[in-house]
């Protein structure tokens, strides 16, 4: 089955460029040009990747990402003209999986898109192996489907990568991993 990609960008020339090159990855591509439409689409359909601009009308990319992370773990790459370190850090801290600045290399973007989707597939495969939608470690509860962790009933906020790492380790207790294995499975490096 083809990967499903949502492009959230208000510059139509960039949308056309992204659509062409994401289709090269054998993906089915949809696009919207504002944050509210992006949020609505992403909440009602499971995408394999979202390419998200920060500076979009109606609801900016930061807010879209923040809202999506409340219920979804769809891989997100921010594709934006904002080049300041603080913008990159903010984007990654609120839940983006990667961040690339405009102008960008198409080859690099395609490589990053493939890597993010590969990591997501590996993490989903790991969680798909688990026998239950919830892991119970006494006071620590991990709801795999909702990607929610609680300790003594209080929600623990984890980044997407931290959650993937927790699931990997929880599904295989006692197994040790080398640094390179973790980088490969969780970060796709």
């Amino acid at each position: 089955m083809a990967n499903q990609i949502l492009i959230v960008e208000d510059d139509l020339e960039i949308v056309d460029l992204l659509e062409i090159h994401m289709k090269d990855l054998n993906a089915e591509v949809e696009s919207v040009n504002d944050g509210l439409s992006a949020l609505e689409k992403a909440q009602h359909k499971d995408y394999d990747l979202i390419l998200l601009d920060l500076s979009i009308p109606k609801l900016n990319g930061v807010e879209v990402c923040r809202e999506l992370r409340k219920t979804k773990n769809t891989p997100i790459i921010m594709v934006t003209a904002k080049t300041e370190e603080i913008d990159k850090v903010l984007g990654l801290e609120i839940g983006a999986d990667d961040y690339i600045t405009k102008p960008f290399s198409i080859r690099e973007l395609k490589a990053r898109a493939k890597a993010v989707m590969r990591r997501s597939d590996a993490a989903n495969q790991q969680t798909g192996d688990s026998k239950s939608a919830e892991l119970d470690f006494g006071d620590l509860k991990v709801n795999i489907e909702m990607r929610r962790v609680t300790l003594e009933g209080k929600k623990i906020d984890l980044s997407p990568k931290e959650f993937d790492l927790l699931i990997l380790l929880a599904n295989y207790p006692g197994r040790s991993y080398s640094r390179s294995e973790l980088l490969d499975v969780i970060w796709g490096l």
Side-chain angles (χ1 to χ4, degrees), residues 21-173:
H21 292 288
M22 290 301 105
K23 287 178 182 175
D24 286 348
L25 301 177
N26 296 319
E28 292 181 14
V29 181
E30 295 180 45
S31 63
V32 293
N33 61 6
D34 68 80
L36 289 176
S37 299
L39 198 54
E40 184 175 319
K41 273 198 172 284
Q43 288 176 333
H44 292 95
K45 182 175 179 179
D46 289 327
Y47 290 96
D48 298 295
L49 176 64
I50 297 174
L51 299 177
L52 178 63
D53 186 9
L54 286 180
S55 302
I56 49 177
K58 297 186 182 174
L59 191 64
N60 70 42
V62 169
E63 290 302 315
V64 171
C65 187
R66 187 175 285 134
E67 284 301 309
L68 284 176
R69 284 298 177 243
K70 290 179 182 177
T71 58
K72 297 265 188 176
N73 196 45
T74 306
I76 297 172
I77 298 177
M78 292 192 167
V79 182
T80 180
K82 294 191 176 223
T83 60
E84 295 295 319
E85 180 182 23
I86 188 70
D87 294 317
K88 294 175 185 178
V89 169
L90 176 64
L92 295 169
E93 284 185 350
I94 62 165
D97 295 278
D98 204 347
Y99 192 106
I100 192 166
T101 57
K102 298 174 189 172
F104 52 85
S105 155
I106 288 296
R107 291 174 71 186
E108 180 183 0
L109 178 64
K110 286 168 71 172
R112 287 176 183 256
K114 288 193 293 189
V116 166
M117 289 188 291
R118 185 175 58 245
R119 287 191 305 261
S120 178
D121 288 345
N124 289 338
Q125 208 169 32
Q126 295 289 346
T127 58
D129 292 343
S130 102
K131 295 170 181 56
S132 168
E134 183 164 287
L135 301 175
D136 188 342
F137 301 96
D139 290 338
L140 179 68
K141 309 269 191 262
V142 181
N143 185 310
I144 296 170
E145 290 179 12
M146 297 298 296
R147 297 187 66 85
R148 187 170 298 144
V149 178
T150 58
L151 179 62
E152 297 176 347
K154 295 178 185 164
K155 184 179 180 220
I156 304 295
D157 290 321
L158 297 178
S159 72
K161 295 289 180 256
E162 291 168 336
F163 186 86
D164 292 343
L165 183 60
L166 174 65
I167 293 301
L168 176 66
L169 297 174
N171 277 328
Y172 300 96

